[in-house]
Amino acid sequence: MIDLRQVAAAPWEEDLLVTARHKGLVDVWSLERAAHCATFETIWDYGGWRGALVPGEHPVVVAGAWERHGVCGYDLTGQRLWQDRSRTNVEAVTALAGGRVVVTHLRRATRVLEAATGEEVRSLRGVLRVIALTSDLSLGVGGGWCRLLDGSLDPLGPRIATGPGPVWFAAGDGEHLAFTDNGFLRILDSDGRERARVPEHFRLVLHDPVTGTWVAVGETFEGKNSLIRLSDDGEVLEQRPWDLRVGGTATMRGGRTLIVITAEGVQVVNCADWSVRWLEAP
């Protein structure tokens, strides 16, 4: 048993994901091999690990720190490729397609970097967080609003008003957008019209293309988790209690696969039928 704290994967990635342990120790896992691949150290300081696995011909793990160290990129052997100490207070790191990564800093413009070199490609002023939905669609989150972004991170359509709290999780199916918003799960049509508002706290939401439904990980105030399947209108179609305490979640394979880390290890959930397999630990 290993003490896993966080998990990171690109929603469109088919094989690789990373999990983080205390003090920035990172494990790389393969879905195809159903096993652990590598372990190495990344930067870390107080406040937890913030990082992403950026897919590509040569995948890169990008990690950020809060008080010092800035942002670093690593290959899958753990070799440090670059380090940028110019900005600290890293709040979030998000993988994008095309070998890019978004790094969000407290009270500073969000930056888009080349994952392999750390070179800044562009900045996004007013955007507090970017959530990757697909390889060519993201959600930009600002203060009290969110907005769809294309593959170049340019706006698609108008801003969508949200509550005062942050939007942490979102998913899309090309025709609808679902996101968590101040204790609700909201499902919107492509024109911005709200179809449903589900009053429950969720740790993650994704769209399963096989069943055409939304799959969410619900969490009560007592810390109990469950898997929930919903229609486009927010109707609960299926719900299953989860006995293990969930430590982190991620979406892979275009919404077909849900990754869950628990005290027992890494679970891989088939979103179509909720069958589960475990990844072999080192």
Side-chain angles (χ1 to χ4, degrees):
M1 185 185 301
I2 56 178
D3 182 20
L4 304 177
R5 303 294 181 91
Q6 291 162 288
V7 58
W12 59 91
E13 169 64 10
E14 293 287 326
D15 184 27
L16 298 176
L17 65 132
V18 292
T19 56
R21 303 189 230 171
H22 187 55
K23 296 188 176 179
L25 197 64
V26 162
D27 295 286
V28 183
W29 307 78
S30 167
L31 293 188
E32 293 181 358
R33 285 178 276 176
H36 174 271
C37 301
T39 299
F40 55 88
E41 292 184 6
T42 65
I43 56 172
W44 173 91
D45 57 25
Y46 297 103
W49 188 81
R50 300 166 180 84
L53 173 64
V54 183
E57 183 179 357
H58 302 287
V60 178
V61 175
V62 178
W66 181 256
E67 292 183 345
R68 58 187 190 280
H69 304 308
V71 187
C72 289
Y74 304 84
D75 66 19
L76 295 191
T77 70
Q79 178 181 350
R80 184 179 295 180
L81 303 175
W82 54 271
Q83 183 171 16
D84 179 0
R85 295 177 179 269
S86 64
R87 297 184 188 178
T88 55
N89 299 148
V90 175
E91 293 192 313
V93 180
T94 304
L96 296 179
R100 300 165 299 156
V101 64
V102 177
V103 182
T104 303
H105 303 265
L106 177 67
R107 300 191 186 94
R108 293 190 179 185
T110 292
R111 298 189 296 161
V112 184
L113 310 178
E114 291 287 351
T117 64
E119 178 184 358
E120 184 170 334
V121 178
R122 65 177 295 181
S123 63
L124 301 171
R125 298 192 178 278
V127 175
L128 305 179
R129 181 178 177 85
V130 173
I131 303 171
L133 304 178
T134 68
S135 59
D136 57 5
L137 187 68
S138 299
L139 187 71
V141 179
W145 58 270
C146 64
R147 193 177 204 174
L148 288 172
L149 308 174
D150 66 15
S152 299
L153 298 180
D154 293 324
L156 285 174
R159 291 182 175 184
I160 301 167
T162 64
V167 173
W168 291 109
F169 303 108
D173 66 352
E175 298 181 358
H176 307 90
L177 172 68
F179 59 90
T180 57
D181 181 13
N182 289 274
F184 292 90
L185 174 67
R186 296 174 62 188
I187 303 175
L188 280 66
D189 285 333
S190 56
D191 61 2
R193 181 179 68 87
E194 186 171 281
R195 293 181 63 108
R197 183 175 295 213
V198 183
E200 188 166 340
H201 177 69
F202 295 96
R203 297 181 61 100
L204 177 137
V205 61
L206 57 84
H207 186 268
D208 170 35
V210 177
T211 61
T213 60
W214 304 93
V215 175
V217 179
E219 183 179 46
T220 67
F221 289 110
E222 294 79 21
K224 295 182 178 180
N225 299 108
S226 61
L227 270 178
I228 303 173
R229 190 183 304 279
L230 304 108
S231 70
D232 291 338
D233 295 317
E235 178 188 0
V236 176
L237 305 174
E238 187 178 1
Q239 186 164 359
R240 179 183 300 176
W242 211 321
D243 295 332
L244 298 175
R245 188 174 184 85
V246 174
T249 56
T251 304
M252 294 184 68
R253 296 179 169 176
R256 304 192 314 276
T257 300
L258 167 66
I259 307 297
V260 181
I261 60 172
T262 72
E264 303 298 322
V266 182
Q267 285 190 343
V268 181
V269 182
N270 182 325
C271 292
D273 60 12
W274 288 355
S275 59
V276 176
R277 63 189 175 99
W278 294 84
L279 297 187
E280 183 179 346

mmCIF file of all heavy atoms in Angstrom, residues 22 31 74 80-81 85 95 100 132 143 166 273-274:
data_model
loop_
_atom_site.group_PDB
_atom_site.id
_atom_site.type_symbol
_atom_site.label_atom_id
_atom_site.label_comp_id
_atom_site.label_asym_id
_atom_site.label_seq_id
_atom_site.Cartn_x
_atom_site.Cartn_y
_atom_site.Cartn_z
ATOM 1 N N HIS A 22 3.391 12.238 -0.655
ATOM 2 C CA HIS A 22 3.879 13.320 0.194
ATOM 3 C C HIS A 22 5.256 13.782 -0.270
ATOM 4 O O HIS A 22 6.078 12.993 -0.723
ATOM 5 C CB HIS A 22 3.940 12.821 1.643
ATOM 6 C CG HIS A 22 4.279 13.888 2.632
ATOM 7 N ND1 HIS A 22 3.565 15.059 2.748
ATOM 8 C CD2 HIS A 22 5.279 13.953 3.559
ATOM 9 C CE1 HIS A 22 4.086 15.788 3.710
ATOM 10 N NE2 HIS A 22 5.123 15.152 4.212
ATOM 11 N N LEU A 31 -2.186 2.308 -18.061
ATOM 12 C CA LEU A 31 -3.431 1.551 -18.133
ATOM 13 C C LEU A 31 -3.266 0.321 -19.019
ATOM 14 O O LEU A 31 -3.834 -0.737 -18.743
ATOM 15 C CB LEU A 31 -4.547 2.435 -18.688
ATOM 16 C CG LEU A 31 -5.010 3.619 -17.834
ATOM 17 C CD1 LEU A 31 -6.243 4.247 -18.463
ATOM 18 C CD2 LEU A 31 -5.304 3.200 -16.413
ATOM 19 N N TYR A 74 9.738 17.546 -16.169
ATOM 20 C CA TYR A 74 10.528 16.318 -16.020
ATOM 21 C C TYR A 74 10.129 15.333 -17.111
ATOM 22 O O TYR A 74 8.946 15.241 -17.487
ATOM 23 C CB TYR A 74 10.254 15.642 -14.662
ATOM 24 C CG TYR A 74 10.493 16.522 -13.464
ATOM 25 C CD1 TYR A 74 9.502 17.406 -13.018
ATOM 26 C CD2 TYR A 74 11.691 16.468 -12.757
ATOM 27 C CE1 TYR A 74 9.711 18.206 -11.907
ATOM 28 C CE2 TYR A 74 11.902 17.266 -11.647
ATOM 29 C CZ TYR A 74 10.912 18.138 -11.227
ATOM 30 O OH TYR A 74 11.112 18.939 -10.127
ATOM 31 N N ARG A 80 15.182 16.315 -14.781
ATOM 32 C CA ARG A 80 14.620 17.659 -14.876
ATOM 33 C C ARG A 80 15.001 18.277 -16.216
ATOM 34 O O ARG A 80 16.183 18.385 -16.553
ATOM 35 C CB ARG A 80 15.122 18.538 -13.732
ATOM 36 C CG ARG A 80 14.500 19.933 -13.724
ATOM 37 C CD ARG A 80 14.995 20.779 -12.578
ATOM 38 N NE ARG A 80 14.570 20.220 -11.300
ATOM 39 C CZ ARG A 80 14.884 20.773 -10.118
ATOM 40 N NH1 ARG A 80 15.629 21.870 -10.076
ATOM 41 N NH2 ARG A 80 14.460 20.213 -9.008
ATOM 42 N N LEU A 81 13.999 18.711 -16.976
ATOM 43 C CA LEU A 81 14.220 19.299 -18.292
ATOM 44 C C LEU A 81 14.392 20.806 -18.223
ATOM 45 O O LEU A 81 15.135 21.388 -19.017
ATOM 46 C CB LEU A 81 13.040 18.962 -19.209
ATOM 47 C CG LEU A 81 12.720 17.470 -19.404
ATOM 48 C CD1 LEU A 81 11.448 17.311 -20.227
ATOM 49 C CD2 LEU A 81 13.887 16.759 -20.066
ATOM 50 N N ARG A 85 11.904 29.776 -12.049
ATOM 51 C CA ARG A 85 11.707 30.315 -10.697
ATOM 52 C C ARG A 85 11.112 31.724 -10.703
ATOM 53 O O ARG A 85 10.988 32.338 -9.648
ATOM 54 C CB ARG A 85 13.052 30.358 -9.958
ATOM 55 C CG ARG A 85 13.683 28.997 -9.696
ATOM 56 C CD ARG A 85 15.037 29.186 -9.017
ATOM 57 N NE ARG A 85 15.695 27.936 -8.718
ATOM 58 C CZ ARG A 85 15.574 27.267 -7.576
ATOM 59 N NH1 ARG A 85 14.808 27.756 -6.610
ATOM 60 N NH2 ARG A 85 16.211 26.136 -7.383
ATOM 61 N N ALA A 95 -2.832 20.067 -18.101
ATOM 62 C CA ALA A 95 -2.289 19.619 -19.379
ATOM 63 C C ALA A 95 -3.223 20.008 -20.517
ATOM 64 O O ALA A 95 -4.451 19.919 -20.402
ATOM 65 C CB ALA A 95 -2.089 18.109 -19.364
ATOM 66 N N ARG A 100 1.333 21.401 -24.585
ATOM 67 C CA ARG A 100 1.274 22.636 -23.802
ATOM 68 C C ARG A 100 0.712 22.373 -22.409
ATOM 69 O O ARG A 100 0.061 21.362 -22.162
ATOM 70 C CB ARG A 100 0.400 23.681 -24.507
ATOM 71 C CG ARG A 100 0.874 24.094 -25.894
ATOM 72 C CD ARG A 100 -0.227 24.831 -26.630
ATOM 73 N NE ARG A 100 -1.391 23.977 -26.799
ATOM 74 C CZ ARG A 100 -2.635 24.434 -26.981
ATOM 75 N NH1 ARG A 100 -2.875 25.726 -26.992
ATOM 76 N NH2 ARG A 100 -3.641 23.595 -27.138
ATOM 77 N N ALA A 132 -9.381 21.334 -18.876
ATOM 78 C CA ALA A 132 -9.384 20.700 -20.192
ATOM 79 C C ALA A 132 -10.574 19.753 -20.303
ATOM 80 O O ALA A 132 -10.743 18.863 -19.462
ATOM 81 C CB ALA A 132 -8.079 19.951 -20.410
ATOM 82 N N GLY A 143 -13.556 35.014 -12.216
ATOM 83 C CA GLY A 143 -14.257 35.365 -10.989
ATOM 84 C C GLY A 143 -15.738 35.557 -11.251
ATOM 85 O O GLY A 143 -16.152 36.590 -11.794
ATOM 86 N N PRO A 166 -15.295 28.844 -6.605
ATOM 87 C CA PRO A 166 -14.615 28.394 -7.825
ATOM 88 C C PRO A 166 -15.306 27.204 -8.479
ATOM 89 O O PRO A 166 -15.958 26.405 -7.813
ATOM 90 C CB PRO A 166 -13.219 27.999 -7.322
ATOM 91 C CG PRO A 166 -13.435 27.607 -5.888
ATOM 92 C CD PRO A 166 -14.523 28.509 -5.376
ATOM 93 N N ASP A 273 -20.172 0.411 -17.556
ATOM 94 C CA ASP A 273 -20.800 -0.601 -16.705
ATOM 95 C C ASP A 273 -20.314 -0.572 -15.257
ATOM 96 O O ASP A 273 -20.718 -1.403 -14.441
ATOM 97 C CB ASP A 273 -20.585 -2.004 -17.291
ATOM 98 C CG ASP A 273 -19.099 -2.361 -17.413
ATOM 99 O OD1 ASP A 273 -18.242 -1.645 -16.853
ATOM 100 O OD2 ASP A 273 -18.792 -3.364 -18.073
ATOM 101 N N TRP A 274 -19.424 0.372 -14.920
ATOM 102 C CA TRP A 274 -18.886 0.559 -13.579
ATOM 103 C C TRP A 274 -18.090 -0.644 -13.076
ATOM 104 O O TRP A 274 -17.930 -0.832 -11.873
ATOM 105 C CB TRP A 274 -19.982 0.928 -12.598
ATOM 106 C CG TRP A 274 -20.489 2.327 -12.810
ATOM 107 C CD1 TRP A 274 -20.008 3.239 -13.686
ATOM 108 C CD2 TRP A 274 -21.568 2.967 -12.124
ATOM 109 N NE1 TRP A 274 -20.710 4.416 -13.606
ATOM 110 C CE2 TRP A 274 -21.684 4.278 -12.657
ATOM 111 C CE3 TRP A 274 -22.447 2.571 -11.137
ATOM 112 C CZ2 TRP A 274 -22.646 5.190 -12.217
ATOM 113 C CZ3 TRP A 274 -23.402 3.475 -10.704
ATOM 114 C CH2 TRP A 274 -23.506 4.766 -11.223
#
